[in-house]
Amino acid sequence: MMENAWIIPLFPLISFILLLLIGKKLKETSAYLGIALIGFSLIFSVLALWERFSAPTYKATFEWLQIGDVSLTAGYEINQLNALMLVVVSLVSLLVHIYSKGYMKSDERFHIFYAYLGLFTFAMLALVISPNLLQLYIFWELVGVGSFLLIGFYFFKEDAKAAAKKAFIMTRIGDVGLFIGIILLFWQVGSFEYDVIFAAVDEGVISAGMLTLIAILIFIGAMGKSGQFPLHSWLPDAMEGPTPVSALIHAATMVAAGVYLVASLFPLFNASEAALMTVAIVGAFTAIFAASIGLVQKDIKRILAYSTVSQLGFMMLALGSAGYVAGVFHLTTHAFFKALLFLAAGSVIHAVHNQNIDEMGGLWRKMRTTGILFLIGTLAITGVPFFSGFFSKEEILIAAWVNGNPFLFALALIAAFFTAFYMFRLFFLVFTGEPRGDQRHVHESSSLMTLPMIVLGVLAVVAGYMNTPWFGHFLGDWLTEGTEMYGPSHIEGPAWIMVAAILVSAAGIGIAYLIYFRRSIERETFSTGAPHLYGILRNKYFVDEFYKMTFVYGSRVISLFLKYIEEFLVHGTMKGVAYATQTIGRLGAKMQNGQTQVYGAVAFLGLAILMIIFAFTGGYLG
């Protein structure tokens, strides 16, 4: 199957093309076409993964362009990392396709939505199997196009249009770094191929300083896609898109692309301690930064969005701490429980037609299935034992500690505490207590929406067992087989780290329980006790305001300055030259009027001027 893996991305591409051509006639039947085609992608992805368990990496390329002595190739490659990603992306996409059939029902642009889903999925699958950086960059940009279309799907809403533009522009900023890094890498190595690059790194062809510069530039691209500080603010605003889009973007596609990029180029980063430290510091800071914002937000989707930013920070911390397996492991488990949380949040929104958690409450009685599944996702992301997030988050904490980063380890522990608190705050406010809004027509979502959530709920529980100290480190052993470039398959750490992780999560859950369920502690304790800090968190550290005052207004001032230069200096000069030319032309035209007396007068006048000049120059005119 690996030899035919190139067809995996083609199914969603065919879906995109067909739905653009005939989707309007199919109407809501478009969903079945999209579901069937992405279903084929999942089947072939599973077969490719199964074959990769027993077969070596498969790579097939052909010459695309010949420029002088440089040959650029295109093709596909199936290795451990992208075989796993193919299954994760196609599975989550399939579940989102099924869920959308119920969520987007009766939407006027139903077929367009499914067409965009197909394009987005195609771009991500093609990115994953790319065998070189040039091809990856092409599909990397196409992923950005797909996200722009989906985030701005409700184009008649100003907020949705603004969010789509913001996502597109901010990720492009990161992409500039990635593009420069790729060019520098090609300059140093003479190839875009992964294997050639890794061989050059291993042989020391690239100097240490240049290697660090290239790695950091590439990481800037990953920061944009994966919402790392300071290129993070587009990701919460992306919630303006339909909720199924949020699940797809935040779980397995666009935001996963940045982490996948760092993981796929891990040997490059691993060769530079400075680059690894940069990744780790940015990841740890982003984890606690976004988690602190999530403590006080009231929009159910934005809380999950900041949770995504924080969890992506955990993944970057793992990779920066030389924990390749830990980062990929958490990328996998997070895809399942975060998709579950977003789809469950969509189920709630679909029922109550509101996103403010202060106007919900008591939904456990009316939406028991959604409530149970949301609780499973919450337990998983919180790191409660025996759920998938517990195992992957522990691997990250061990990697940070063993790699000698106690400060970053402490930041990760605090972020884990914040995660437990704000996620159970969200759960208690939405599903427990008395209703705080009109819930007369609230009922459980249809089976089309609950079935995908059930599948994800099962995965959110069992996915962690693929790499545990109790049942074997199957994932780690397989990811690192046959090479030492990715480090050890598992990092051993002291047992107290697991205990600390459990206690920290329990503390966050306990405090949320006392405040929002038992109400033993007043909800306003924090907002009244530390109003300035609460205001800073509520306003997301004023990052957007800072960007608006500096980059937005700054660019406007520069634009106006250049505009006035163009209008008054450039255009003014050109108008002056044109006016002078016209004036001289008019004078010349008046002289050439066909009257003999005028011509004679001009001739005598010219002769008089010449004589005067001759007299003053003493007869010398040379």
CSV table of all heavy atoms in Angstrom, one decimal, residues 99 239 243-244 246-248 250-251 300-301 303-305 307-308 311 333-349 370-383 419 422-424 426-427 430-431 452-454 456-457 460:
chain,number,residue,atom,x,y,z
A,99,TYR,N,-19.9,14.7,11.4
A,99,TYR,CA,-20.5,15.6,12.4
A,99,TYR,C,-21.2,16.8,11.7
A,99,TYR,O,-22.3,17.3,12.1
A,99,TYR,CB,-19.4,16.0,13.4
A,99,TYR,CG,-19.9,17.0,14.5
A,99,TYR,CD1,-20.3,16.6,15.7
A,99,TYR,CD2,-19.8,18.4,14.2
A,99,TYR,CE1,-20.6,17.5,16.7
A,99,TYR,CE2,-20.1,19.3,15.2
A,99,TYR,CZ,-20.5,18.8,16.5
A,99,TYR,OH,-20.9,19.7,17.4
A,239,MET,N,-12.1,31.2,15.9
A,239,MET,CA,-13.4,30.6,16.4
A,239,MET,C,-14.6,31.2,15.7
A,239,MET,O,-15.7,30.7,15.9
A,239,MET,CB,-13.5,30.8,17.9
A,239,MET,CG,-12.5,30.2,18.8
A,239,MET,SD,-12.4,28.4,18.6
A,239,MET,CE,-11.2,28.2,17.4
A,243,THR,N,-18.1,25.6,14.1
A,243,THR,CA,-17.4,24.8,15.1
A,243,THR,C,-16.8,23.5,14.5
A,243,THR,O,-15.7,23.2,15.0
A,243,THR,CB,-18.5,24.4,16.2
A,243,THR,OG1,-19.0,25.6,16.8
A,243,THR,CG2,-17.8,23.5,17.3
A,244,PRO,N,-17.3,22.8,13.5
A,244,PRO,CA,-16.6,21.7,13.0
A,244,PRO,C,-15.2,22.1,12.4
A,244,PRO,O,-14.3,21.3,12.5
A,244,PRO,CB,-17.5,21.2,11.8
A,244,PRO,CG,-18.9,21.6,12.3
A,244,PRO,CD,-18.7,22.9,13.0
A,246,SER,N,-13.4,24.5,13.6
A,246,SER,CA,-12.6,24.7,14.8
A,246,SER,C,-12.0,23.4,15.3
A,246,SER,O,-10.8,23.3,15.6
A,246,SER,CB,-13.4,25.3,16.0
A,246,SER,OG,-13.9,26.6,15.6
A,247,ALA,N,-12.8,22.3,15.2
A,247,ALA,CA,-12.3,21.0,15.6
A,247,ALA,C,-11.2,20.5,14.7
A,247,ALA,O,-10.2,20.0,15.1
A,247,ALA,CB,-13.5,20.0,15.7
A,248,LEU,N,-11.4,20.7,13.4
A,248,LEU,CA,-10.5,20.2,12.4
A,248,LEU,C,-9.2,21.0,12.5
A,248,LEU,O,-8.1,20.5,12.5
A,248,LEU,CB,-11.1,20.4,11.0
A,248,LEU,CG,-10.3,19.7,9.9
A,248,LEU,CD1,-10.2,18.2,10.1
A,248,LEU,CD2,-11.1,19.9,8.5
A,250,HIS,N,-8.0,22.9,15.0
A,250,HIS,CA,-7.3,22.8,16.3
A,250,HIS,C,-6.9,21.4,16.7
A,250,HIS,O,-6.2,21.3,17.7
A,250,HIS,CB,-8.3,23.4,17.4
A,250,HIS,CG,-8.4,24.9,17.4
A,250,HIS,ND1,-7.9,25.7,18.4
A,250,HIS,CD2,-8.9,25.7,16.4
A,250,HIS,CE1,-8.2,27.0,18.1
A,250,HIS,NE2,-8.7,27.0,16.9
A,251,ALA,N,-7.3,20.4,16.0
A,251,ALA,CA,-7.0,19.1,16.5
A,251,ALA,C,-5.9,18.4,15.6
A,251,ALA,O,-4.9,17.9,16.1
A,251,ALA,CB,-8.3,18.2,16.5
A,300,ILE,N,-17.1,29.7,25.3
A,300,ILE,CA,-16.8,28.3,25.4
A,300,ILE,C,-15.8,27.9,24.3
A,300,ILE,O,-14.8,27.1,24.6
A,300,ILE,CB,-18.1,27.4,25.3
A,300,ILE,CG1,-17.7,25.9,25.5
A,300,ILE,CG2,-18.8,27.6,24.0
A,300,ILE,CD1,-18.9,25.0,25.6
A,301,LYS,N,-15.9,28.4,23.1
A,301,LYS,CA,-14.9,28.0,22.1
A,301,LYS,C,-13.6,28.7,22.3
A,301,LYS,O,-12.5,28.2,22.0
A,301,LYS,CB,-15.5,28.4,20.7
A,301,LYS,CG,-16.6,27.5,20.3
A,301,LYS,CD,-17.3,27.9,19.0
A,301,LYS,CE,-16.3,27.8,17.8
A,301,LYS,NZ,-16.9,28.2,16.5
A,303,ILE,N,-12.2,29.5,25.2
A,303,ILE,CA,-11.5,28.8,26.2
A,303,ILE,C,-10.8,27.6,25.6
A,303,ILE,O,-9.6,27.3,25.9
A,303,ILE,CB,-12.5,28.3,27.3
A,303,ILE,CG1,-13.1,29.6,28.0
A,303,ILE,CG2,-11.8,27.4,28.3
A,303,ILE,CD1,-14.2,29.2,29.0
A,304,LEU,N,-11.5,26.8,24.8
A,304,LEU,CA,-10.9,25.7,24.1
A,304,LEU,C,-9.7,26.1,23.2
A,304,LEU,O,-8.8,25.4,23.0
A,304,LEU,CB,-11.9,24.9,23.4
A,304,LEU,CG,-13.0,24.2,24.3
A,304,LEU,CD1,-14.0,23.4,23.4
A,304,LEU,CD2,-12.3,23.2,25.3
A,305,ALA,N,-9.9,27.3,22.6
A,305,ALA,CA,-8.9,27.8,21.7
A,305,ALA,C,-7.6,28.1,22.4
A,305,ALA,O,-6.5,27.7,22.0
A,305,ALA,CB,-9.4,29.0,20.9
A,307,SER,N,-6.8,26.8,25.2
A,307,SER,CA,-6.3,25.5,25.6
A,307,SER,C,-5.5,24.9,24.5
A,307,SER,O,-4.4,24.3,24.8
A,307,SER,CB,-7.5,24.6,25.9
A,307,SER,OG,-7.1,23.3,26.1
A,308,THR,N,-5.9,25.0,23.3
A,308,THR,CA,-5.1,24.5,22.2
A,308,THR,C,-3.7,25.2,22.1
A,308,THR,O,-2.7,24.5,21.9
A,308,THR,CB,-5.9,24.7,20.8
A,308,THR,OG1,-7.1,24.0,20.9
A,308,THR,CG2,-5.1,24.2,19.7
A,311,GLN,N,-1.6,23.7,24.8
A,311,GLN,CA,-1.2,22.3,24.6
A,311,GLN,C,-0.2,22.3,23.5
A,311,GLN,O,0.8,21.4,23.5
A,311,GLN,CB,-2.4,21.5,24.2
A,311,GLN,CG,-3.4,21.3,25.3
A,311,GLN,CD,-2.8,20.7,26.6
A,311,GLN,OE1,-2.2,19.7,26.5
A,311,GLN,NE2,-3.0,21.4,27.7
A,333,THR,N,-2.4,12.2,20.9
A,333,THR,CA,-3.5,12.1,21.9
A,333,THR,C,-4.3,13.4,21.9
A,333,THR,O,-5.5,13.4,22.0
A,333,THR,CB,-2.9,11.9,23.3
A,333,THR,OG1,-2.0,12.9,23.7
A,333,THR,CG2,-2.2,10.5,23.4
A,334,HIS,N,-3.6,14.5,21.8
A,334,HIS,CA,-4.3,15.8,21.8
A,334,HIS,C,-5.3,15.9,20.6
A,334,HIS,O,-6.4,16.5,20.7
A,334,HIS,CB,-3.3,17.0,21.7
A,334,HIS,CG,-3.9,18.3,21.5
A,334,HIS,ND1,-4.1,18.9,20.3
A,334,HIS,CD2,-4.4,19.2,22.5
A,334,HIS,CE1,-4.7,20.1,20.5
A,334,HIS,NE2,-4.8,20.3,21.8
A,335,ALA,N,-4.9,15.4,19.5
A,335,ALA,CA,-5.8,15.4,18.3
A,335,ALA,C,-7.2,14.8,18.6
A,335,ALA,O,-8.2,15.3,18.2
A,335,ALA,CB,-5.2,14.7,17.1
A,336,PHE,N,-7.2,13.7,19.4
A,336,PHE,CA,-8.4,13.0,19.7
A,336,PHE,C,-9.2,13.8,20.8
A,336,PHE,O,-10.4,14.0,20.6
A,336,PHE,CB,-8.1,11.6,20.1
A,336,PHE,CG,-7.4,10.8,19.1
A,336,PHE,CD1,-6.4,10.0,19.4
A,336,PHE,CD2,-7.9,10.9,17.7
A,336,PHE,CE1,-5.7,9.2,18.4
A,336,PHE,CE2,-7.2,10.1,16.8
A,336,PHE,CZ,-6.1,9.3,17.1
A,337,PHE,N,-8.6,14.1,21.9
A,337,PHE,CA,-9.4,14.7,23.0
A,337,PHE,C,-9.7,16.2,22.7
A,337,PHE,O,-10.8,16.7,23.1
A,337,PHE,CB,-8.8,14.5,24.4
A,337,PHE,CG,-7.4,15.1,24.6
A,337,PHE,CD1,-7.2,16.5,24.6
A,337,PHE,CD2,-6.3,14.3,24.9
A,337,PHE,CE1,-6.0,17.1,24.9
A,337,PHE,CE2,-5.1,14.8,25.2
A,337,PHE,CZ,-4.9,16.2,25.2
A,338,LYS,N,-8.9,16.9,21.9
A,338,LYS,CA,-9.3,18.2,21.5
A,338,LYS,C,-10.4,18.3,20.5
A,338,LYS,O,-11.3,19.1,20.5
A,338,LYS,CB,-8.1,19.0,21.1
A,338,LYS,CG,-8.3,20.5,20.8
A,338,LYS,CD,-9.1,21.2,21.9
A,338,LYS,CE,-8.3,21.2,23.2
A,338,LYS,NZ,-7.1,22.1,23.2
A,339,ALA,N,-10.4,17.3,19.5
A,339,ALA,CA,-11.5,17.2,18.6
A,339,ALA,C,-12.8,16.9,19.3
A,339,ALA,O,-13.8,17.4,19.0
A,339,ALA,CB,-11.1,16.2,17.5
A,340,LEU,N,-12.7,16.0,20.3
A,340,LEU,CA,-13.8,15.6,21.1
A,340,LEU,C,-14.4,16.8,21.8
A,340,LEU,O,-15.6,17.1,21.8
A,340,LEU,CB,-13.4,14.5,22.1
A,340,LEU,CG,-14.5,14.2,23.2
A,340,LEU,CD1,-15.8,13.7,22.5
A,340,LEU,CD2,-13.9,13.2,24.2
A,341,LEU,N,-13.5,17.6,22.4
A,341,LEU,CA,-14.0,18.8,23.2
A,341,LEU,C,-14.7,19.8,22.3
A,341,LEU,O,-15.7,20.4,22.6
A,341,LEU,CB,-12.8,19.4,23.9
A,341,LEU,CG,-12.3,18.6,25.1
A,341,LEU,CD1,-11.0,19.2,25.6
A,341,LEU,CD2,-13.3,18.7,26.3
A,342,PHE,N,-14.1,20.1,21.1
A,342,PHE,CA,-14.7,21.0,20.2
A,342,PHE,C,-16.0,20.6,19.6
A,342,PHE,O,-17.0,21.3,19.5
A,342,PHE,CB,-13.7,21.4,19.1
A,342,PHE,CG,-12.9,22.6,19.3
A,342,PHE,CD1,-11.5,22.4,19.6
A,342,PHE,CD2,-13.4,23.8,19.4
A,342,PHE,CE1,-10.7,23.5,19.8
A,342,PHE,CE2,-12.6,25.0,19.6
A,342,PHE,CZ,-11.3,24.8,19.8
A,343,LEU,N,-16.1,19.3,19.3
A,343,LEU,CA,-17.4,18.8,18.8
A,343,LEU,C,-18.4,18.8,19.9
A,343,LEU,O,-19.6,19.0,19.6
A,343,LEU,CB,-17.2,17.4,18.2
A,343,LEU,CG,-16.3,17.3,17.0
A,343,LEU,CD1,-16.3,15.9,16.4
A,343,LEU,CD2,-16.7,18.3,15.9
A,344,ALA,N,-18.0,18.4,21.1
A,344,ALA,CA,-19.0,18.5,22.2
A,344,ALA,C,-19.4,19.9,22.5
A,344,ALA,O,-20.6,20.2,22.8
A,344,ALA,CB,-18.3,17.9,23.5
A,345,ALA,N,-18.5,20.9,22.4
A,345,ALA,CA,-18.8,22.3,22.5
A,345,ALA,C,-19.8,22.7,21.4
A,345,ALA,O,-20.8,23.5,21.7
A,345,ALA,CB,-17.6,23.1,22.5
A,346,GLY,N,-19.6,22.2,20.2
A,346,GLY,CA,-20.5,22.5,19.1
A,346,GLY,C,-21.9,21.9,19.4
A,346,GLY,O,-22.9,22.6,19.0
A,347,SER,N,-21.9,20.8,20.0
A,347,SER,CA,-23.2,20.2,20.3
A,347,SER,C,-24.0,21.0,21.3
A,347,SER,O,-25.2,21.2,21.2
A,347,SER,CB,-23.0,18.8,20.9
A,347,SER,OG,-24.2,18.2,21.3
A,348,VAL,N,-23.2,21.6,22.3
A,348,VAL,CA,-23.8,22.5,23.3
A,348,VAL,C,-24.3,23.8,22.6
A,348,VAL,O,-25.5,24.2,22.8
A,348,VAL,CB,-22.8,22.9,24.4
A,348,VAL,CG1,-23.4,24.0,25.3
A,348,VAL,CG2,-22.5,21.6,25.2
A,349,ILE,N,-23.5,24.4,21.8
A,349,ILE,CA,-23.8,25.6,21.1
A,349,ILE,C,-25.0,25.4,20.1
A,349,ILE,O,-26.0,26.2,20.0
A,349,ILE,CB,-22.6,26.1,20.3
A,349,ILE,CG1,-21.5,26.5,21.2
A,349,ILE,CG2,-23.0,27.3,19.4
A,349,ILE,CD1,-20.2,26.8,20.5
A,370,THR,N,-23.7,14.2,25.5
A,370,THR,CA,-22.7,15.2,25.3
A,370,THR,C,-21.9,15.5,26.6
A,370,THR,O,-20.7,15.7,26.6
A,370,THR,CB,-23.4,16.5,24.8
A,370,THR,OG1,-24.0,16.3,23.5
A,370,THR,CG2,-22.4,17.6,24.6
A,371,GLY,N,-22.6,15.6,27.7
A,371,GLY,CA,-22.0,15.8,29.0
A,371,GLY,C,-20.9,14.8,29.4
A,371,GLY,O,-19.8,15.1,29.8
A,372,ILE,N,-21.3,13.5,29.2
A,372,ILE,CA,-20.3,12.4,29.5
A,372,ILE,C,-19.1,12.5,28.6
A,372,ILE,O,-18.0,12.4,29.1
A,372,ILE,CB,-21.0,11.1,29.3
A,372,ILE,CG1,-22.1,10.9,30.4
A,372,ILE,CG2,-20.0,9.9,29.4
A,372,ILE,CD1,-23.0,9.7,30.3
A,373,LEU,N,-19.3,12.8,27.3
A,373,LEU,CA,-18.2,12.8,26.4
A,373,LEU,C,-17.3,14.1,26.6
A,373,LEU,O,-16.1,14.0,26.5
A,373,LEU,CB,-18.7,12.8,24.9
A,373,LEU,CG,-19.4,11.5,24.5
A,373,LEU,CD1,-20.2,11.7,23.2
A,373,LEU,CD2,-18.4,10.4,24.4
A,374,PHE,N,-18.0,15.2,27.0
A,374,PHE,CA,-17.2,16.4,27.3
A,374,PHE,C,-16.4,16.1,28.6
A,374,PHE,O,-15.2,16.6,28.7
A,374,PHE,CB,-18.1,17.6,27.5
A,374,PHE,CG,-17.4,18.9,27.5
A,374,PHE,CD1,-17.4,19.7,26.3
A,374,PHE,CD2,-16.8,19.4,28.6
A,374,PHE,CE1,-16.8,20.9,26.3
A,374,PHE,CE2,-16.1,20.6,28.6
A,374,PHE,CZ,-16.1,21.4,27.4
A,375,LEU,N,-16.9,15.4,29.5
A,375,LEU,CA,-16.2,15.1,30.7
A,375,LEU,C,-15.0,14.2,30.4
A,375,LEU,O,-13.9,14.4,31.0
A,375,LEU,CB,-17.1,14.4,31.7
A,375,LEU,CG,-16.5,13.9,33.0
A,375,LEU,CD1,-15.9,15.1,33.8
A,375,LEU,CD2,-17.5,13.2,33.9
A,376,ILE,N,-15.2,13.2,29.5
A,376,ILE,CA,-14.0,12.4,29.1
A,376,ILE,C,-12.9,13.2,28.5
A,376,ILE,O,-11.7,13.1,28.8
A,376,ILE,CB,-14.5,11.3,28.1
A,376,ILE,CG1,-15.4,10.3,28.8
A,376,ILE,CG2,-13.3,10.6,27.5
A,376,ILE,CD1,-16.1,9.3,27.9
A,377,GLY,N,-13.3,14.1,27.6
A,377,GLY,CA,-12.3,15.0,27.0
A,377,GLY,C,-11.6,15.9,28.0
A,377,GLY,O,-10.4,16.1,28.0
A,378,THR,N,-12.4,16.4,29.0
A,378,THR,CA,-11.8,17.2,30.1
A,378,THR,C,-10.9,16.4,30.9
A,378,THR,O,-9.8,16.9,31.3
A,378,THR,CB,-13.0,17.8,30.9
A,378,THR,OG1,-13.9,18.5,30.1
A,378,THR,CG2,-12.4,18.7,32.0
A,379,LEU,N,-11.2,15.2,31.3
A,379,LEU,CA,-10.3,14.3,32.1
A,379,LEU,C,-9.0,14.0,31.3
A,379,LEU,O,-8.0,14.0,31.9
A,379,LEU,CB,-11.0,13.1,32.5
A,379,LEU,CG,-12.2,13.2,33.4
A,379,LEU,CD1,-13.0,11.9,33.5
A,379,LEU,CD2,-11.7,13.6,34.8
A,380,ALA,N,-9.2,13.9,30.0
A,380,ALA,CA,-8.0,13.5,29.2
A,380,ALA,C,-7.0,14.7,29.1
A,380,ALA,O,-5.8,14.6,29.3
A,380,ALA,CB,-8.4,13.1,27.8
A,381,ILE,N,-7.5,15.9,28.8
A,381,ILE,CA,-6.7,17.1,28.7
A,381,ILE,C,-6.1,17.5,30.0
A,381,ILE,O,-5.0,18.1,30.1
A,381,ILE,CB,-7.4,18.2,28.0
A,381,ILE,CG1,-6.4,19.3,27.6
A,381,ILE,CG2,-8.5,18.8,29.0
A,381,ILE,CD1,-7.1,20.4,26.8
A,382,THR,N,-6.8,17.2,31.1
A,382,THR,CA,-6.4,17.6,32.4
A,382,THR,C,-5.2,16.7,32.9
A,382,THR,O,-4.4,17.1,33.8
A,382,THR,CB,-7.5,17.5,33.4
A,382,THR,OG1,-8.6,18.4,33.0
A,382,THR,CG2,-7.1,17.9,34.8
A,383,GLY,N,-5.1,15.5,32.4
A,383,GLY,CA,-4.1,14.6,32.7
A,383,GLY,C,-4.4,13.7,33.9
A,383,GLY,O,-3.6,13.3,34.7
A,419,THR,N,-4.6,24.4,33.5
A,419,THR,CA,-5.4,23.6,32.5
A,419,THR,C,-6.5,22.9,33.3
A,419,THR,O,-7.7,22.9,32.9
A,419,THR,CB,-4.5,22.6,31.8
A,419,THR,OG1,-3.5,23.3,31.0
A,419,THR,CG2,-5.4,21.8,30.8
A,422,TYR,N,-9.2,25.6,34.6
A,422,TYR,CA,-10.1,26.2,33.6
A,422,TYR,C,-10.9,25.2,32.9
A,422,TYR,O,-12.1,25.5,32.5
A,422,TYR,CB,-9.4,27.2,32.7
A,422,TYR,CG,-8.5,26.6,31.7
A,422,TYR,CD1,-8.9,25.8,30.6
A,422,TYR,CD2,-7.1,26.8,31.7
A,422,TYR,CE1,-8.1,25.3,29.6
A,422,TYR,CE2,-6.3,26.3,30.7
A,422,TYR,CZ,-6.8,25.6,29.7
A,422,TYR,OH,-5.9,25.1,28.7
A,423,MET,N,-10.5,24.0,32.7
A,423,MET,CA,-11.3,23.0,32.0
A,423,MET,C,-12.4,22.5,32.9
A,423,MET,O,-13.6,22.3,32.4
A,423,MET,CB,-10.4,21.8,31.6
A,423,MET,CG,-9.5,22.1,30.3
A,423,MET,SD,-10.4,22.8,28.9
A,423,MET,CE,-11.7,21.5,28.6
A,424,PHE,N,-12.2,22.3,34.2
A,424,PHE,CA,-13.3,21.9,35.1
A,424,PHE,C,-14.2,23.1,35.4
A,424,PHE,O,-15.3,22.9,35.7
A,424,PHE,CB,-12.7,21.2,36.3
A,424,PHE,CG,-12.6,19.7,36.1
A,424,PHE,CD1,-11.4,19.2,35.6
A,424,PHE,CD2,-13.7,18.9,36.3
A,424,PHE,CE1,-11.3,17.8,35.3
A,424,PHE,CE2,-13.6,17.5,36.1
A,424,PHE,CZ,-12.4,17.0,35.6
A,426,LEU,N,-14.9,25.2,33.2
A,426,LEU,CA,-15.8,25.2,32.0
A,426,LEU,C,-16.9,24.1,32.1
A,426,LEU,O,-18.0,24.3,31.9
A,426,LEU,CB,-14.9,24.9,30.7
A,426,LEU,CG,-15.6,24.7,29.4
A,426,LEU,CD1,-16.5,25.9,29.0
A,426,LEU,CD2,-14.6,24.4,28.3
A,427,PHE,N,-16.4,22.9,32.6
A,427,PHE,CA,-17.4,21.8,32.7
A,427,PHE,C,-18.5,22.1,33.7
A,427,PHE,O,-19.6,21.9,33.4
A,427,PHE,CB,-16.6,20.5,33.1
A,427,PHE,CG,-17.5,19.3,33.3
A,427,PHE,CD1,-18.1,18.6,32.3
A,427,PHE,CD2,-17.8,18.9,34.6
A,427,PHE,CE1,-19.0,17.6,32.5
A,427,PHE,CE2,-18.7,17.9,34.8
A,427,PHE,CZ,-19.2,17.2,33.8
A,430,VAL,N,-21.0,24.8,32.6
A,430,VAL,CA,-21.9,24.4,31.5
A,430,VAL,C,-22.8,23.3,31.8
A,430,VAL,O,-24.0,23.4,31.5
A,430,VAL,CB,-21.0,24.0,30.2
A,430,VAL,CG1,-21.9,23.4,29.1
A,430,VAL,CG2,-20.2,25.1,29.7
A,431,PHE,N,-22.4,22.3,32.6
A,431,PHE,CA,-23.2,21.1,32.7
A,431,PHE,C,-23.8,20.9,34.1
A,431,PHE,O,-24.7,20.1,34.3
A,431,PHE,CB,-22.4,19.9,32.4
A,431,PHE,CG,-22.0,19.7,30.9
A,431,PHE,CD1,-20.8,20.1,30.4
A,431,PHE,CD2,-23.0,19.3,30.0
A,431,PHE,CE1,-20.5,20.0,29.1
A,431,PHE,CE2,-22.7,19.2,28.7
A,431,PHE,CZ,-21.5,19.6,28.2
A,452,PRO,N,-19.7,10.6,16.0
A,452,PRO,CA,-18.2,10.9,16.0
A,452,PRO,C,-17.7,11.3,17.3
A,452,PRO,O,-16.5,10.9,17.6
A,452,PRO,CB,-18.2,12.2,15.0
A,452,PRO,CG,-19.5,12.1,14.2
A,452,PRO,CD,-20.5,11.4,15.1
A,453,MET,N,-18.5,11.9,18.2
A,453,MET,CA,-18.0,12.2,19.5
A,453,MET,C,-17.7,10.9,20.3
A,453,MET,O,-16.7,10.9,21.1
A,453,MET,CB,-18.9,13.1,20.3
A,453,MET,CG,-19.0,14.5,19.7
A,453,MET,SD,-19.9,15.7,20.8
A,453,MET,CE,-21.6,15.0,20.7
A,454,ILE,N,-18.5,9.9,20.2
A,454,ILE,CA,-18.3,8.7,20.9
A,454,ILE,C,-17.0,8.0,20.4
A,454,ILE,O,-16.2,7.5,21.3
A,454,ILE,CB,-19.5,7.7,20.7
A,454,ILE,CG1,-20.8,8.3,21.4
A,454,ILE,CG2,-19.2,6.3,21.2
A,454,ILE,CD1,-22.0,7.6,21.0
A,456,LEU,N,-14.4,9.5,19.2
A,456,LEU,CA,-13.3,10.3,19.8
A,456,LEU,C,-13.2,10.1,21.3
A,456,LEU,O,-12.1,10.1,21.8
A,456,LEU,CB,-13.5,11.8,19.5
A,456,LEU,CG,-13.3,12.1,18.0
A,456,LEU,CD1,-13.8,13.6,17.7
A,456,LEU,CD2,-11.8,12.0,17.6
A,457,GLY,N,-14.3,9.9,22.0
A,457,GLY,CA,-14.3,9.6,23.4
A,457,GLY,C,-13.5,8.3,23.7
A,457,GLY,O,-12.7,8.3,24.7
A,460,ALA,N,-9.9,9.0,23.2
A,460,ALA,CA,-9.4,9.9,24.2
A,460,ALA,C,-9.0,9.1,25.4
A,460,ALA,O,-8.1,9.5,26.2
A,460,ALA,CB,-10.4,11.0,24.6
